[in-house]
Structures are given as structure tokens and as C-alpha cells.
Amino acid sequence: MNIPADLKYTKDHEWVKIEGDTATIGVTHFAQSELGDIVYVDVDTLNETIEKEEVFGSVEAVKTVSDLFMPITGEIIEINEALADEPEKVNTDPYGEGWMVKISISDASQIKELLSAAAYGELIGA
């Protein structure tokens, strides 16, 4: 199971890459493998401030739809537009081209509540 050590994680299977006061967010390798083939990504919250643990979008796979939960409070400043035409990037490159959103972090203190790669690995039994 691919769990990059330089990222933070949530119990809801999102990953977070912190770069200064910006965070890039996506779903983990584990999440995409559990969902199966992703056919649609729905994120229409650009320029909205979403509170920690609120829904900011959803992913639709062949057999299910799953909500996306905001790992830390922030304003969505960019949505990965490539996923509109190629949602399968979430399956093929979840930590790279399959990212979902970029946010401007509102409360940096919430970062310490995220899981390390080791803790996330324990959560999923990797």
C-alpha cells in the first residue's frame, strides 16, 4: 500500500500536503482502491471556506458514491479541473495528478490533529 511519508492523513482517507499556508488535498491510495473505478468527481466549492470535517465534494465510482470531507478548515482556491475529463487519474495517480483541491489554510493549529503516514498505515492495517 502506497502511503507517502511526507503527507498527512485523515481517518476519512484523505491526504494533505502542506506547503506554507496552502494545502493540497486528495484521496488516499487505500480509498481509491476501496472505491474501485472512479467515474466522476464532483467538487463545486471554489472560493468557499469549508470547515474541518464538512463535505466539500464527492467521488462517484462504478458501484458507490462517497463524500469528500475537509481535513482542515480553509478556503478552496483551486479545483483540479483535469478530473472533469479524466476522473480515473484519482485511481492511477492519487497522490499526484489525482489531487482534488488546493486550499488556503484558515487554522494551522488543525494540522497537528492529522495522522502521520505511520498512524494512517496502522488505521488501515497496512
Side-chain angles (χ1 to χ4, degrees):
M1 190 63 56
N2 186 8
I3 307 172
D6 62 329
L7 303 177
K8 297 292 187 184
Y9 299 88
T10 71
K11 61 180 174 28
D12 295 313
H13 311 292
E14 280 91 21
W15 58 262
V16 183
K17 181 176 185 178
I18 307 294
E19 296 173 296
D21 62 355
T22 302
T24 303
I25 299 165
V27 297
T28 66
H29 182 268
F30 175 82
Q32 69 78 26
S33 67
E34 291 292 302
L35 288 166
D37 292 336
I38 293 172
V39 296
Y40 185 68
V41 177
D42 180 26
V43 179
D44 60 0
T45 47
L46 187 62
N47 299 320
E48 292 182 28
T49 297
I50 310 293
E51 296 294 318
K52 178 183 174 186
E53 297 181 357
E54 284 188 350
V55 173
F56 71 89
S58 64
V59 291
E60 182 177 339
V62 174
K63 297 178 184 174
T64 189
V65 176
S66 183
D67 286 334
L68 298 166
F69 297 96
M70 186 60 68
I72 54 176
T73 301
E75 178 185 352
I76 295 182
I77 57 174
E78 187 176 348
I79 294 172
N80 187 351
E81 299 292 344
L83 298 181
D85 294 325
E86 298 178 89
E88 65 274 6
K89 286 182 183 229
V90 176
N91 293 116
T92 60
D93 192 11
Y95 301 114
E97 292 183 1
W99 63 274
M100 303 285 178
V101 296
K102 293 187 180 189
I103 68 167
S104 175
I105 300 169
S106 298
D107 185 352
S109 70
Q110 294 174 341
I111 295 168
K112 68 179 181 281
E113 298 169 22
L114 298 171
L115 302 173
S116 66
Y120 181 70
E122 285 181 29
L123 176 74
I124 62 171

